[in-house]
Structures are given as structure tokens and as C-alpha cells.
Amino acid sequence: MGSSGQGAAPRLVAALVCILAMAPAWGRAALEGDPPLTRHLPDVDAYPQNFAIAQDRQSIVYVGNYDGVLIFDGERWELLRLPNRDLARSLTFDGVDRVYVGGHDQVGYIRRDAAGREQYHDLTPLFQSVLGEGEDFEDVWDIHVAREGVFFRALRHVFLYEPVSGATRVWRHPGRFGAIAQSGDHVVLQFRGEGLRQYLNGEWRPLPGSAPLDELVWSLLRMPDGGLLALAADGRWRVYKDGRVSNFKVPASFPPSSSIPAGTELPDGTLVLVSSEGKVYTLDPRTGAHRHFALDTGFLIDVVPARGGGLLIAAEDRLVHLEWPAPWTAQGESYGMNSSLVSMVRWGNRWHALTSSGVFAVEPTADGASRFRTLDWTQAEAWDLLPIDANTALLADSYDLIQISGQRARRVTNGALYPYLLRRALGDPNVVLMGLQPGVGLARRSGSEWKVAVEDHTLDELEASSMVESEPRVLWVGSDRGGVWRIRFTPAYGAIEETRRFGPGEGITYGEPRGGWVTQLADGTLVATTSNGVFRWTGERFTAFDLGGLDIVRGKGEWIELATAPDGARWAYSHKHVYREVGGGWRREEIGGVRRGAVESLTFDETGAPVFSSTRAVLRFDAAAAAPASDGVPTVQLRAVERRDASGAVQALPVDGALSLRDGDFGLRIRFALPEFRQAGATRYATRLAGLEPHMSAWSDANTLQYPRLPPGNYRLEVMARDALGRDSRGPPLELTIAPAWYASNAARALWLILGILVLSALTVGAVRWRTVRLERLVAERTAELRTANERLDAMAHLDGLTGVPNRRELDRHLEKAWTQCAKESRELAVLAIDVDGFKRYNDLHGHQSGDEMLVRLVREASACLNRRADLLARYGGDEFFVVRIGASLAGARELAETLRQRIEVAALGATVSIGAAARSPSGGGQVRDLVRAADAALYAAKSAGRNRVAA
């Protein structure tokens, strides 16, 4: 017995130390999720293998690819092939106007011409002149721009190019070269087998103490203290500084350096590293602060800081924009959250997630991150958790009130209470007020047990969604469809004394639905919100409440909810948007990059930071995170001005300065773009052609203008863009003059007068003939009108009358045609079968008219995901649609399906979709109906697996 007692104390101390050590991780760190990211997939015909990335001063992005250089301006991808039609291994922007390119036995640079087109300038002949006969330099792995010139590093060669004079030099090393980097005023290069050398007075001189870095180092990153961090094939983390190589301690969660192909240094000294396992690692060498998160499933190739904020990362087959540092982060499915989230509640030192399938605890993991773990308290929907003390809490699930004591659950009721909200009573700590579905009630504590004391389900329209006890025994309740209610309890909370619903007679009005939401501000003011606005309780009635201009920024008819942070900061939110009061006014926060589904609730963590629960993720806002850079913010720019004549010939015109053209039978096509990559499709444009249009156009996503023929005159094209953060930019205007044609000059007018007289005489002679011809022409016009009417009827027979997309008949015709085309061209044909989840239930709840409106909106969202001209979206029947894409593999079809599914999910249509994807190569045999059956089978699998998912 004594021995057992002596062992218990150390174990207790150890357990206490463990708990205290884990407490910080359960606190703030536990809710630090992934920053917003946007994936941009090239839609050009290029092999999906990337190698490098660069961004120029105009913010245009260049990606080194297996087939050349991919160029992306935020709206359009282009492929620029190198002269030898081989890969582009390395890229570097010189800070002025050139992007240098290193390929396989190929070097050069890209510079934009007067027409805004990126042109490749080949420097290979210059380097071949300094090589021996038959000597190749193969891949150029790195490019470094320094004051001495541009260094191109190949495996066994290093070239120096001086841009002003065109002079070149070459160095060879039989042991091969490694990384090249800038260290202070000098360029440093690894000579493999020897260590590092620095470039001094035209020679490479050994760096003392660098000999331990003799194995392959493929990257050297500058440290805040002036050292160089080596990423090497041996996997070790080492730093060269002050003439010595030392081991560099990284967090335990970091992989070997051999798994880090590239990294970059941010202005604040933070290192950003990308890994071959698809993860991003950040590390502040001065403080040791670090983060890591999964970005993609494949290899991450390269990373550069993005102009305007964030990071640009080249993955194997795509470009990724990562918001970092990020005020908004999200924890979702990758953290173990696989249910629909209702709200987050902090009890003690641990966060609890209330979801559609029960309660999850947020717990730290061994690598310093966190993960959601299912608790066994309930299998039903968990709606509210009310901490009573350190050991006890009450849980409201779909059916019962549950008491949690010592992490064990005990049901207080028998399955018919339907609690939704729980609040401690102001006038008695042993009473908890309950919002029911429908009605209200209360529970009372007797000893250590809680029991339901009052339960009223007679208030049919009072389905509680918010509750505030403004003073003891006076409870205000907001409901989704029944508006705002006031409930009074008798003394000692013995029974319900009064129930009253408030409406227009009391100063509060409702839109549709007739919902109301209540809260109490920090100064005690009771506030109710409806889709008609914000209202304040004066003690006798409700009055309209401006609340510092919130009505100005919220959407029309948008039903918002309010909350006040511990520091007094005020927040508002709806299912789609989040608003923050800043500097006496309100601004809408951009959460599109992190929001997953609808925003459901708001609470605050121990630091006062807001924690939002969206349907599929926890969103956290950190005001201390760095705001996007104010310098280098991308601005809208003209990308192409083209003259197109009647024959279809195209002439590229200068995009800068002024254009002067002579009137003729031609049109103008003008394309512009904002190179901003935070959210695909989020940029909006407004334009005006002064001299033709009096006002700026409405904001839209259109980035191309067409003018079939402009009359002679002076014009000025003005273009504005608004990015995902709501920032506006205006590009320099394009001055355009259309001079009259030669035949419209004064001399020509005199000639035309003489000719007019002659023509008038001829017309008199031909009047009789004209009357005859006129009758023939009328007959021809009537015939043409009849033909046009028949063509319109034929077109209507091929379109769905509700959604306006092709119908089943046109789908069948298009599939046969596409199958034949792909068979001839030996290409694959992909089909997506799309079905709305629970559409019948949606119709039953909202009516068939609402169901039709939802299908129209769904088609609009789905069409926005189809960026190829040949893509076809058709209505198969009822709530099922098909997408046909020519030349897409099964992987490409699945990715398109996932993009489409996610867009519809976050669009808050009231429903989700399940998608089956299939692809076939017609040249391999079979028939098109086999492809359709495969897509239907995949759709059935997606439905069977739980809906709102993709199967292939």
C-alpha cells in the first residue's frame, strides 16, 4: 500500500505538468487554421509539369513549364514556347522589364513589346560562342541577377551575361555546381566537393569554413542575421555564417531539408519553404515561431512573394496563391472536421465544436497543430453547450438536455424536449433558460443534478434562434420565422407569466422570411435585426437604429446578426458575409477564400479574436496579422488592342499612349486584366469610352470590349478594376482618334456633289425599273423572314425552357457529335452527371416556384466554372444536368466536378449537388452510351456515399 501511494504523487505531478504544458496548445494555437488559398489551373494545351515561377513589375505571372513558359495575367493563360520547343527550367525577374529564362541548352529573356505581347529574346547564340565544339550545357537550374550581370547556373557550367554590353563569360567545374545566392554585396556559388565560393573581381574565391557544404546544395536562403541556410540533398539543416558551418535547429514537425525544393525570405525575416509532400512551412529564425499546413497533394516546386500581398506557389500542374500572413484562417476537413458545424464553445482550456453529428473536441497533435476528435456525448445534432463550472456543462442536442459531469454524459430528459439554446439566468445561478423548437423552458439545479422545471411547447411560431435576458426574468427571443418575442417569468422563475410577439405595431418590421434576431450591446442596449434592418428597444417600443452606418454596407434584404467582442469591437454577419466596425464605420471583410458553406455563428477566443463557425470550417480572425502590402498592389492594365477588318485579319496595336486610325470597315477588340490572384473570378471591371458613353459601366466580370465600328472622332478609354479585397485601381487611359476616311474630306465632298447630280439624273431614268425591282425585293424579304422564324423555332426546340441551357434532345445530338470528333482526333471525352441533393424535399419545403428559381441559379453558378468554348452544360431532365468536355481526362473531369461542387456549395443556394464523372477515349472502341452509363453509375456511387461529393 505504501509503495503504491508513493508512486501516485509523482504520476499526479507529471500529469499536471502535462496538462499545463498542453494548455497553450488548447488555447489560441488550437484554432490557428490554414490561410486562404486559390488554385489557378492553366487551361492551355501544355504538359502538367511545372518547374519555376516569377512575377514581373506589372504583376504578370510566369511559370516555367515542360512545354515552355506559361503566362497568366489573372484572366487568361498563354503558352510561350521556346525556340527549341523544350522545357523552361528556371525563371527570374530582373526588377525592371525582363524575365530571364533558363531551359535545356537554352537561355534568353522575355520582354513585353509595344502591343503588350510577351516576346522571347534568345541569348543562346551568345553562350554557344564561348563553348567548345559539341559542348552542351543541358538544363539551366538557377538564374541570379546581380550588379555584375546575370548568372545562369547549369550543372557543369556557370555563365555571366552583361545586359548593357552583351559580354559573356563561362566557368566550368568537373565536380558540378550547386546553389547560387546573394550574400551581402557578393554572389555566392557552391562548387560541389569543395564548399562555397564568392565572386570577387571577376574570380570565384573560396569562402573560409564552408568546406562542410560539399554535397549538393540546391538552395541557399538568406537569414535575418546575415547567414545562409542550406537546403541540401543530405537532408541536414545547416547554416553558413561568420566563416563556419553549424547545425540549424528546426521544429520537430519539419521534414529533412532534402524534402524542401525551394524557399523564399519575406521582408519581416520569415522563411517560407515548400515541400515535395505538398506542404508549406513558415519559420521565423529569430523567435522560432513556425507554422505548417497542407497545400496540395502533389509536389510543390517554387515560391515567390506576390506583389500586393501573399505568396505565389508553383505546384506540379497549377499556380496557387496563398494569403500569408493571413488575418483569416480556417480549420476544416483536413483537421478532422467532417460534419456540418453549428458553433464553437470554449469550456475550460478546450474548444468544443457542436456539429450535425455530435460534439468534437479540438486537441493538440504531436506536431504542434490541432485536430477535431469526436466525443461520445451524443450522436444527434448538438446545438448548444453551456459551461456551468469546471466540471459540469449542459448540452442541448436535437432531442434532449444532457448533463456533462467529469466528461461523462447523462440525459436529463427522455427524447422529446427539443432544446436549441441555453442561457444562465441573471436572477438565479441555479436556473438555465432554454429556447426550444418550438417554445421556451427552463432547467433547475437541485444539488448536483439538473432537471427540467418549465417546458412550454405551445408557442408554435417561436423556434428560438437567439436569446437575451435583458433583466432578471425578462427573456427576449428571436426566431427564424416567428419574429421577436418577449417572455416574462414569475418570481423565482416559477412559471411563464407573459408571452408577447412584437411587430409593426411596436416599431419592428420583417421581410421574408419573417425572422428576427436579438442581442444586447456592450452599453446594455437591446437590439433586434430583421431582413428589413436594425431596431433598438427604447423601453416602450422598437425604433430604427443606424448603428454607425451598417445599413449602408449590408446587402439589400440581408439578415444580419450582431456581436460585441470583449474589447468592445462590434461585428456583424449573415450567412454569406462578415462585417467589422473600423474607425467609426463598417467594412465588409473578404472571407471568400476561407468560408466553407454558410456562416452559422460567432464567438470569441481568450484573446478576444472572433471565431466564426461556417458549415464546414472554423474561421478565425487575427487583427495582428500583417495587412496586404500597400506597395506593389496590382493595377488594371490593357493587355491587347486589336484591329479586326472585314476579312477577319487581326492587327495588334500599341496599348500605351495614343492611337490614331483612319475610318474604315474594321472593328476594335480590347482586352484588359487585373493581375490579382486571391480569388479566381472575383475581379470586377467598369469601363467607359468617353466620346461614346456618358458614364462608367456597371461592375461586371467582363474583361473584353468589342466595338464593331466607331464613327470618326476623339475617344478616351477608361478602365477600372475592383479586386477580391474591394480595392479599386484605374489604369492609364487609352487615347483614340478615328480620322475621317479620305472620301469624307472637303475635296471629296465637292466631288461627291458633282457625282450626286449625275446620279440623280440616272435615278430619274431608273425610277420605273426600281418599282419593278421593289416588288421582287418584298417577296424575297418575306421569304427570308419566314426562314428566320423557322430557324428560331428550331433553336427553341433544342433549349430547356426554364434554364435556357440545351435540353436532352440537344445533349444527345452533341454527345454523338463530340464522340465522333474525339474518335477522329484520338482525344478523350469526359462527361459529368450532376444531380441536386434532396431536390424533392426542397420543393416540398419551399414550393415548386422556388425550386425552379434555385435550378436557374444553379445553372448560372455551374456555367461560371466552364471556361472552355466547347464545354456544354445541358439539362438531362428534372433536377439532373450533364456537362460534356472534349479532350478532358478522368482526372481533369474529376477536378472540374470538384470545382463545380464547391462553387455550388458556397453559393448558398439551399442545396448541394452530387456529381458522377467519367471519361473515355472513343478511339479505343465502345459507344457513347457506355460513357453516359459510367457517369450515371459514378453519380449513383456519390449519392450512396452520402451526397455532396464527387465520384468517378
Side-chain angles (χ1 to χ4, degrees), residues 63-306:
V63 179
N65 176 264
Y66 187 86
D67 285 322
V69 179
L70 297 171
I71 303 172
F72 186 44
D73 61 11
E75 297 287 352
R76 184 173 180 232
W77 287 92
E78 296 180 77
L79 173 62
L80 180 62
R81 293 189 180 273
L82 303 186
N84 61 357
R85 303 185 72 80
D86 208 329
L87 59 81
R89 173 71 70 181
S90 52
L91 298 171
T92 295
F93 176 53
D94 71 348
V96 183
D97 62 356
R98 296 183 181 187
V99 173
Y100 285 95
V101 182
H104 183 82
D105 288 327
Q106 180 72 42
V107 288
Y109 63 88
I110 299 171
R111 186 163 59 183
R112 199 169 294 113
D113 65 13
R117 299 171 301 185
E118 284 78 14
Q119 301 288 342
Y120 182 76
H121 301 264
D122 193 1
L123 298 176
T124 309
L126 292 177
F127 296 123
Q128 288 174 336
S129 65
V130 297
L131 293 175
E133 185 175 351
E135 186 180 8
D136 297 325
F137 51 86
E138 300 180 345
D139 286 2
V140 175
W141 291 88
D142 203 358
I143 307 170
H144 182 73
V145 178
R147 63 184 180 184
E148 295 88 351
V150 183
F151 293 88
F152 295 87
R153 177 183 70 83
L155 197 60
R156 297 179 178 86
H157 301 79
V158 170
F159 301 95
L160 175 60
Y161 166 67
E162 209 291 310
V164 176
S165 66
T168 60
R169 290 190 64 182
V170 61
W171 293 270
R172 299 169 179 82
H173 177 51
R176 303 183 182 185
F177 292 105
I180 188 170
Q182 191 76 29
S183 179
D185 294 332
H186 302 293
V187 179
V188 173
L189 173 67
Q190 187 202 21
F191 283 64
R192 290 164 62 179
E194 298 180 6
L196 305 181
R197 297 189 186 187
Q198 63 180 348
Y199 191 67
L200 286 173
N201 301 322
E203 299 297 335
W204 294 101
R205 299 182 181 179
L207 274 176
S210 67
L213 295 176
D214 56 345
E215 296 189 34
L216 172 60
V217 173
W218 51 63
S219 185
L220 291 168
L221 301 179
R222 286 178 298 225
M223 303 282 280
D225 61 1
L228 291 172
L229 176 64
L231 305 178
D234 62 8
R236 299 172 64 184
W237 292 88
R238 291 181 291 178
V239 169
Y240 175 79
K241 184 176 184 291
D242 297 334
R244 63 187 295 265
V245 175
S246 58
N247 292 328
F248 179 68
K249 183 175 178 57
V250 296
S253 58
F254 277 41
S257 68
S258 53
S259 297
I260 307 294
T264 189
E265 314 91 19
L266 300 184
D268 65 357
T270 300
L271 300 179
V272 179
L273 311 168
V274 294
S275 79
S276 56
E277 289 84 23
K279 293 183 178 180
V280 176
Y281 296 82
T282 68
L283 174 65
D284 187 335
R286 297 160 301 184
T287 65
H290 63 279
R291 291 286 312 282
H292 75 273
F293 32 84
L295 186 72
D296 212 336
T297 56
F299 205 107
L300 301 183
I301 311 297
D302 199 3
V303 55
V304 295

Side-chain angles (χ1 to χ4, degrees), residues 347-367:
W347 179 19
N349 283 325
R350 187 162 69 174
W351 282 96
H352 297 79
L354 310 184
T355 78
S356 60
S357 59
V359 183
F360 290 72
V362 182
E363 296 183 345
T365 60
D367 61 3

Side-chain angles (χ1 to χ4, degrees), residues 51 57 114 256 336 354 630 665 771 834 842:
F51 301 104
R57 180 173 287 177
L354 310 184
S630 58
D665 188 12
R771 295 171 69 91
I834 306 168
Y842 186 97

Side-chain angles (χ1 to χ4, degrees), residues 748-811:
R749 289 193 180 97
L751 179 60
W752 284 118
L753 179 61
I754 297 172
L755 291 175
I757 295 172
L758 295 176
V759 170
L760 182 61
S761 301
L763 289 175
T764 303
V765 174
V768 175
R769 184 181 177 187
W770 176 81
R771 295 171 69 91
T772 303
V773 173
R774 182 172 179 272
L775 180 59
E776 296 173 350
R777 185 180 301 156
L778 286 173
V779 173
E781 289 175 352
R782 296 296 183 269
T783 303
E785 290 173 359
L786 181 59
R787 186 185 304 112
T788 301
N790 288 333
E791 290 173 353
R792 289 177 178 172
L793 287 173
D794 183 69
M796 292 172 62
H798 291 81
L799 294 179
D800 175 56
L802 173 65
T803 62
V805 298
N807 57 19
R808 171 71 178 275
R809 177 180 175 186
E810 177 63 13
L811 171 64

